[in-house]
Amino acid sequence: MTSSSDQKEIVIIGGGIIGCTSAYFLTRHPLYDPSIHKITLLEASKIAGGASGKAGGLLGLWAYPSNIVPLSYRLHAQLAREHDGATRWGYRQIHCGQLSAKGRSHSQSSNRSSVDGKGAAKTGEDSISLNKRDGKALGRLTAAGVPKDLNWFSADCVSSYSEMGDPSTTAQVHPYQFTTAMAELASQKGVNIILGSVTRINTAENDNFVKSVTYTSKQTSESHIIPTTDIVLAAGPWTRSIYPPAPISAMRAHSVTITPSTPISAFAIFTEISLPASFGQKDTILKSKTTRSKTVTPEIYARPNNEAYCCGEGDHLVPLPKTTEDVETDAARCQDIVDYVSSISDELRDGEVKVRQACYLPSVDGGGGPLIGQTGVKGLLLASGHTCWGIQNGPATGKLMSEFVFDGRAKSAGVGSLDPRKVMA
């Protein structure tokens, strides 16, 4: 265990959810003393500029891996209570389910939103959903097992519904708001946030302990060196570019946010949509370059303030760019998502697309993960490879990082199966 009198120079690399929760929990650790413990967070572009600002924000006790999910889910609730998360980052408990449906072609799904030359959605005066369903339609939804208050899907489309989670096991946050709040709360306790790209982790000649971190300032383009005793490497998909032995890969993911034509109830929905043979983008100016599958699986998360977050499948078509600011968004892939969800929901079809975006998700080569713990180089800790569950598992990872730094081991959860040394050469 670290003595409270030991001076520490802690550097966190990465300003996503893992880096920001690590900063937060380091400043809440019982041994943290700002008079002798200096914490610096280095972020290449901006806080929550990547997946941590563009993810869905779904939380579930049924997520994975099971050794950290319960801890993280509990910490999410505690953080929301302590810092008014309901107001500050949209924390709320919700329902979650799997919905199977048959999508409608554009000729059947009339009055859909159009897209202008800049890719921004428009809704004409003839595209107004009244959100009315007759008794027969409601009866069909009930017969399919759809909850009464999940009333924003077309009864003619829905085949079946099964519950995955309820408000006792499922919740959500707005990822950008949550991540930036964690950074702000950490900063208030003494964390120094610097925008700069890390170019090198400097170790002793025999590579058995860390000495410093070299970075290039975003503002001045000048190179700087920060002495360090402890490094938390939490750079998500950019982890390998900073530390090549880390077996972390990147996958691009697209998403959109839509303001529905009428408010929708608090559900997170995993869909399975069978598309008709006539389905396509013939009535839009965007022509998808992807081969359309007969079955697609977009996810739809209703958020507070009448917003729907919709995401599609990932791809490896474009290599990981240098920073989050350089991520390329494929407008046609975003339009695919809009078309898919519009084919089964009038409220989404007649709504307004507000954001089209892309990000990269980190994963561990060969599957499994995330990787949380020591690397074999003294003072270098790794926290990466969280796939799509980074927001869910961020608080647990941050708390565990604080324990590795100050206690020398994980105390709040057994994470031996996530030890980076098991998969690193």
Side-chain angles (χ1 to χ4, degrees):
M1 178 181 292
T2 299
S3 169
S4 60
S5 62
D6 291 342
Q7 292 190 354
K8 283 184 171 293
E9 300 273 354
I10 305 165
V11 175
I12 302 167
I13 302 175
I17 186 58
I18 306 304
C20 291
T21 51
S22 295
Y24 174 89
F25 281 102
L26 281 165
T27 62
R28 269 68 181 178
H29 192 282
L31 293 181
Y32 172 65
D33 182 348
S35 68
I36 58 173
H37 300 142
K38 181 179 179 181
I39 304 175
T40 302
L41 189 154
L42 287 168
E43 163 54 39
S45 55
K46 69 175 184 177
I47 298 297
S52 297
K54 300 173 182 177
L58 183 63
L59 317 176
L61 273 174
W62 39 268
Y64 62 85
S66 59
N67 50 348
I68 61 172
V69 163
L71 170 63
S72 210
Y73 193 83
R74 184 171 68 251
L75 289 173
H76 267 291
Q78 293 176 1
L79 289 167
R81 287 194 298 269
E82 182 176 353
H83 301 293
D84 190 18
T87 300
R88 196 164 183 177
W89 56 77
Y91 176 88
R92 66 175 179 178
Q93 297 168 311
I94 60 173
H95 288 272
C96 179
Q98 171 77 40
L99 183 138
S100 296
K102 295 180 179 180
R104 299 166 293 184
S105 65
H106 294 160
S107 59
Q108 293 173 302
S109 178
S110 60
N111 293 339
R112 60 182 301 280
S113 61
S114 61
V115 180
D116 67 16
K118 296 182 179 179
K122 296 180 179 179
T123 304
E125 293 183 355
D126 60 345
S127 300
I128 301 174
S129 172
L130 298 180
N131 197 31
K132 291 183 178 180
R133 291 171 174 83
D134 58 23
K136 290 184 179 180
L138 293 174
R140 288 194 293 271
L141 290 172
T142 301
V146 178
K148 185 177 180 180
D149 55 343
L150 181 55
N151 58 359
W152 38 280
F153 291 100
S154 171
D156 295 331
C157 297
V158 177
S159 302
S160 65
Y161 176 88
S162 58
E163 187 173 74
M164 295 173 58
D166 60 33
S168 69
T169 63
T170 312
Q172 71 179 160
V173 298
H174 189 293
Y176 179 81
Q177 295 170 359
F178 179 59
T179 303
T180 54
M182 289 295 100
E184 182 180 349
L185 291 166
S187 178
Q188 291 171 359
K189 291 290 186 176
V191 173
N192 182 28
I193 298 176
I194 298 175
L195 296 184
S197 298
V198 173
T199 56
R200 183 178 176 85
I201 293 175
N202 305 304
T203 60
E205 289 184 6
N206 55 5
D207 286 335
N208 65 350
F209 65 90
V210 296
K211 294 176 58 179
S212 61
V213 171
T214 303
Y215 74 93
T216 301
S217 169
K218 180 181 179 182
Q219 182 177 8
T220 66
S221 298
E222 295 178 350
S223 181
H224 300 272
I225 295 178
I226 302 178
T228 182
T229 57
D230 302 86
I231 296 173
V232 176
L233 179 53
W238 284 271
T239 298
R240 194 198 297 262
S241 63
I242 297 171
Y243 188 63
I248 303 298
S249 299
M251 178 183 70
R252 188 175 64 161
H254 285 82
S255 60
V256 302
T257 63
I258 301 173
T259 300
S261 58
T262 57
I264 58 178
S265 50
F267 281 80
I269 302 297
F270 290 76
T271 72
E272 185 176 70
I273 306 172
S274 299
L275 300 176
S278 59
F279 196 89
Q281 291 183 315
K282 295 179 181 179
D283 58 343
T284 75
I285 61 146
L286 295 177
K287 303 298 180 183
S288 175
K289 297 178 181 178
T290 61
T291 301
R292 288 180 178 272
S293 302
K294 293 182 179 180
T295 301
V296 294
T297 56
E299 300 170 20
I300 310 170
Y301 307 157
R303 287 176 170 172
N305 303 318
N306 196 33
E307 178 180 273
Y309 172 91
C310 312
C311 62
E313 297 178 352
D315 70 81
H316 294 95
L317 297 177
V318 180
L320 183 71
K322 186 176 180 180
T323 72
T324 59
E325 294 178 328
D326 303 314
V327 172
E328 176 183 332
T329 299
D330 187 328
R333 285 183 172 269
C334 289
Q335 186 61 39
D336 281 345
I337 299 170
V338 175
D339 288 347
Y340 297 157
V341 302
S342 296
S343 75
I344 60 173
S345 171
D346 295 344
E347 286 76 7
L348 299 180
R349 178 198 67 192
D350 298 335
E352 181 182 1
V353 181
K354 305 294 288 188
V355 176
R356 300 167 188 262
Q357 59 192 4
C359 63
Y360 284 80
L361 300 174
S363 61
V364 179
D365 293 351
L371 300 180
I372 300 174
Q374 299 172 357
T375 61
V377 177
K378 185 179 179 181
L380 177 59
L381 299 169
L382 179 62
S384 187
H386 289 73
T387 64
C388 58
W389 292 113
I391 299 297
Q392 149 64 37
N393 292 325
T397 304
K399 186 171 180 63
L400 291 165
M401 285 295 103
S402 74
E403 294 170 353
F404 276 113
V405 170
F406 283 115
D407 302 312
R409 62 184 179 91
K411 297 173 65 176
S412 297
V415 291
S417 62
L418 308 180
D419 191 329
R421 294 170 294 186
K422 290 186 174 183
V423 295
M424 290 172 58

